Structures are given as structure tokens and as C-alpha cells.
Amino acid sequence: MPRIFSLFLVILSSLILTACDDDDDNNSAAVNAESGFQVGPRPFFLVEDMDEGELKTALQSCENGPFVKTDFSIGHRGAPMQFPEHTRESYVAAAKMGAGIVECDVTFTADRQLVCRHSQCDLHTTTNILAKPELAEKCSTPFSPADAASGTAATAQCCTSDITLAEFKSLCGKMDASDATATTVEQYMKGTADWRTDLYSACGTLMTHAESIELFKSLDVKMTPELKSPSVEMPFEGDYTQEDYAQQMIDEYKAAGVDPENVYAQSFNLQDVLYWIQQEPAFGQQGVYLDDRVYNDPSFTPSLADFEELAAQGVKIVAPPMYALLTLDADERIVPSEYATLAKAAGLEIITWTLERDGPLAQGGGWYHQSIAEQINNDGDTMTVLDVLAKQVGVKGIFSDWPGTVTYYASCMDMR
């Protein structure tokens, strides 16, 4: 274990500093000198933790690489298992781990500038805004401390739409976390999960959407922006419509001269995807419908007719959470779900989310593994889930909080 921990620190440091000593025996297995892609020590840990079998043997045979960039590996908000999400540092880490596609979730500021944040109203947990009094006072809901006597939790809500772009750019990104028992701002800003780290969270660099485009171009990765659902009433301030918002996002790719084939625009709002299909078909033909009906619509049942209707409207890619694509058969084996089978039958491609977001899997995982929890009992099962998604479900790509794991698997299985 000391050697693995040492290796872990070496690789994480190299992801930030872009330095790698090819002569260092401690990281030679994790770094492919020919390509320069660094998967980090985590995939090796996961493979060793797997149950014995053919898949483990096959993956062990790939421990020396080569590890190559692959569109099958999608950086979910970058590489947020270790780096503050939607920061430059997180994006660079994802690209260095061989993610062929990296995500910027898109929302807007008070002056209608597009920025990368997972939610319009997450600044209180993902940045240091509460530690900046002049900006904290602009938050939709100012910080309120916990009250143990009444059982009241600490609260705050700070939105990108509360502040200008210049004010947004003055913030530092941090690991997404808060402490509901906090009685001070300093306490509230802590709370990072014990399986993550604050080592690389001193001041993550926040990015505009346009800046992310230029960074991704320089990193030679494709782009998957997600148009986030506004937390404010639309039209914003009476005249900024949802269509304006959806068009503005595409316009920034056009202004940057990005080939539409390198962009996978996403939204949970089907109308956004249909807007792109109709108004920006070069981009819309790769539009991704993030299907939340499986957990937000109690009446939803997958059907061939439903998926064929999506296809008839021009939708080509659907993206539900992982658990919606997996189930257990009569022999308790992990197999494709009815959703997966019917979507493929309708000719739809599938992308899914999010690998390695549940934390340790010893107790069956969490939300992302809920349909197969009975067969999840160790971290190595991550690789088994990945294998079923790749080979049996036939997904087009997988979002991961540690893209190096998917890169390792895809490189081993010769999936480019």
C-alpha cells in the first residue's frame, strides 16, 4: 500500500504540473511514454480489486499500456474525483487521462455571459463566494447558520445569475461540498467527501464557456456542452428567452470555428435538442437528449414506440443514468435493461453517466448502481459494470469522474 499511495501522489501532481519523468520506475506502469496519456493509479487498483475471472485477467494484461485517447472516455465536469469540477485544472486532468471528450455545463451570469457550472445556483458549494462579503451579499439566499436546538440546517444559495461575469471570474473553484451543521461560513464551505480530496482545491480556475472552447481546442479534445436548466424564470429579465440561451451556446462554437462534428450539445430539456435539430442541424444531428424521465417521471415506462418517436423527431443519441441501462437476470448477472434493449432497437445511440461518482462500492454503491446493487460489493466491480455497458449495452461513451479508468479499459479493449 505505501507504494500505491506514493504512486498516487506522483501521478496526481503530474496532472497539474504537466511534468512526467519517464525514467521513474514508480509511475512507468501508469504513464505511456509514447502517447503521454496518464491514467493514474486508480485503474490498476480497480483491476486488482476485481473478482477473479477472464475479464480481470484480460485487463491485467494491459497494465503496461499503451493508453490512448478515446472518445469512449468522457470527462464528466473534467476529473472531479480529485479536482474542482468545471475548472481549468479539472479539464486539463481529464484530457491528460485520455478523455477524447470533455464536458462544460453551461449557464449564464447576470449580464448574460455563458460560464461553466453544473448548476446555475451552485456557487455556494463549488466556489469561495461566501468568503467574499461583497459578493456573498448578492446571493439569492444569504448564508444562514445551523441551529442545533431547532434542528435547522445551514443554508445558502448563490447563483451565477446573481453576479456579473467579472465578479464570477474573481472567484476560486473548490470541491463541491458543504457542511449542513455549520455555524460559520468557514465551516459551511468544508464537507468534502472522505473519498475525494482538497489537496488541489486551493483556487481552481473558473472558466467561461468561450474559454473552455479555446482550452479544449488546445487540448485536442471534442466538446460536450450541457445547456443547464435555468434556475431563474425565463425569459430572464423579460427578454432573454430559452431559445436565445440555446442559440447563444451554439453561436460561441461557430464564432470559435469549431467543426460541428466535434460538438455533442446536451440538454435534459428535449425542446432544446429539438431546437438545435431544427435551427442548427449541423450541431443538432449530434444533439444528446439527457433522459431524466427514468427518475423524474413516475409514469414513465420505456417502450419501442416512445424511442421511435424520439428518432422520428431527429434525436439520435439518448443519455440516461447508468442504472437505467442495467438490470439483473434470473441468474443474478448484470445484463442490459429493457430501456437499453428498446432504445437500441429504435436505432438510437446511447451515452451514459456517471462512472465513479458513487464513491466506495463495498455496500452496493449508491444512486448510480441502484438497479444492480445486489451484485455490487467491491470497487473492482466498476470494471465489470464498464464491461457490460461497453460490450452488451453497446454505449457510445461513458462519463466518468476519473476518466483514466475508462481510458484504461477502452485502450485494453482496442476501443478508439
Side-chain angles (χ1 to χ4, degrees):
M1 289 303 295
R3 181 177 182 275
I4 292 295
F5 182 70
S6 176
L7 174 60
F8 187 62
L9 294 179
V10 168
I11 298 302
L12 287 178
S13 297
S14 71
L15 288 171
I16 296 179
L17 301 175
T18 71
C20 173
D21 181 0
D22 290 337
D23 296 326
D24 186 348
D25 292 337
N26 285 336
N27 65 21
S28 61
V31 178
N32 174 28
E34 181 179 350
S35 70
F37 294 112
Q38 309 167 19
V39 297
R42 182 161 177 78
F44 303 93
F45 165 76
L46 294 176
V47 171
E48 287 304 311
D49 196 47
M50 292 177 67
D51 297 335
E52 298 300 324
E54 292 182 4
L55 178 60
K56 179 174 182 175
T57 300
L59 291 172
Q60 285 176 321
S61 72
C62 300
E63 65 179 11
N64 292 319
F67 305 118
V68 298
K69 180 173 68 175
T70 170
D71 290 353
F72 191 70
S73 178
I74 306 173
H76 179 242
R77 315 181 199 178
M81 181 177 282
Q82 299 292 333
F83 299 89
E85 64 184 43
H86 292 308
T87 60
R88 187 182 193 282
E89 294 77 10
S90 191
Y91 292 153
V92 170
K96 281 187 167 294
M97 283 189 270
I101 306 173
V102 181
E103 177 187 44
C104 164
D105 289 330
V106 179
T107 188
F108 58 86
T109 60
D111 47 351
R112 306 180 188 184
Q113 300 301 302
L114 302 184
V115 296
C116 298
R117 285 291 91 196
H118 177 64
S119 167
Q120 189 167 47
C121 295
D122 71 4
L123 296 182
H124 51 290
T125 64
T126 65
T127 76
N128 66 338
I129 189 169
L130 293 177
K132 300 172 78 72
E134 71 281 9
L135 296 182
E137 66 182 13
K138 297 186 176 185
C139 291
S140 297
T141 304
F143 171 72
S144 177
D147 184 342
S150 65
T152 304
T155 58
Q157 179 170 283
C158 304
C159 308
T160 58
S161 52
D162 292 334
I163 58 177
T164 66
L165 175 61
E167 291 167 334
F168 173 85
K169 288 289 290 179
S170 74
L171 301 175
C172 291
K174 72 177 189 70
M175 294 301 281
D176 185 10
S178 62
D179 183 352
T181 69
T183 57
T184 67
V185 163
E186 291 73 22
Q187 292 171 342
Y188 183 80
M189 291 174 60
K190 298 180 180 180
T192 300
D194 59 9
W195 47 274
R196 290 182 170 166
T197 181
D198 290 316
L199 286 174
Y200 308 104
S201 300
C203 189
T205 307
L206 301 193
M207 304 200 74
T208 67
H209 176 236
E211 287 173 338
S212 79
I213 293 173
E214 293 306 316
L215 175 63
F216 295 162
K217 286 168 62 177
S218 73
L219 295 171
D220 192 27
V221 296
K222 296 179 181 178
M223 312 166 198
T224 184
E226 180 191 332
L227 194 73
K228 301 303 298 187
S229 298
S231 298
V232 295
E233 184 178 351
M234 300 293 278
F236 179 57
E237 297 182 331
D239 62 348
Y240 184 60
T241 67
Q242 184 70 25
E243 292 76 15
D244 293 334
Y245 178 33
Q247 185 64 52
Q248 183 180 357
M249 189 182 85
I250 298 300
D251 285 345
E252 294 199 347
Y253 289 96
K254 294 166 70 175
V258 178
D259 188 332
E261 292 186 356
N262 292 332
V263 180
Y264 294 86
Q266 318 168 74
S267 180
F268 281 101
N269 181 353
L270 178 59
Q271 295 308 309
D272 291 337
V273 180
L274 296 181
Y275 174 86
W276 294 324
I277 290 170
Q278 295 160 9
Q279 302 299 322
E280 293 287 351
F283 290 89
Q285 66 180 345
Q286 288 196 152
V288 180
Y289 173 39
L290 295 162
D291 194 353
D292 63 354
R293 297 174 299 172
V294 296
Y295 56 90
N296 272 340
D297 182 355
S299 67
F300 175 73
T301 300
S303 70
L304 183 59
D306 173 74
F307 290 126
E308 288 179 336
E309 174 61 22
L310 286 175
Q313 294 179 85
V315 176
K316 295 184 178 180
I317 307 172
V318 292
M322 291 192 313
Y323 79 83
L325 299 174
L326 303 171
T327 190
L328 300 177
D329 67 10
D331 296 319
E332 298 296 299
R333 294 174 301 190
I334 302 173
V335 296
S337 68
E338 182 180 33
Y339 183 110
T341 302
L342 293 174
K344 297 292 283 189
L348 296 172
E349 293 184 300
I350 302 173
I351 291 173
T352 193
W353 42 277
T354 302
L355 200 71
E356 300 195 85
R357 192 157 182 83
D358 273 348
L361 301 185
Q363 304 301 318
W367 191 83
Y368 294 93
H369 294 84
Q370 60 186 278
S371 62
I372 54 173
E374 294 176 20
Q375 288 301 309
I376 300 296
N377 55 38
N378 61 62
D379 289 334
D381 286 335
T382 295
M383 289 301 196
T384 301
V385 170
L386 182 49
D387 189 61
V388 175
L389 289 168
K391 293 181 179 176
Q392 296 185 47
V393 175
V395 299
K396 181 182 181 70
I398 299 178
F399 284 89
S400 176
D401 277 11
W402 191 257
T405 297
V406 182
T407 299
Y408 183 106
Y409 174 89
S411 298
C412 189
M413 300 300 173
D414 197 26
M415 300 172 63
R416 304 300 175 93

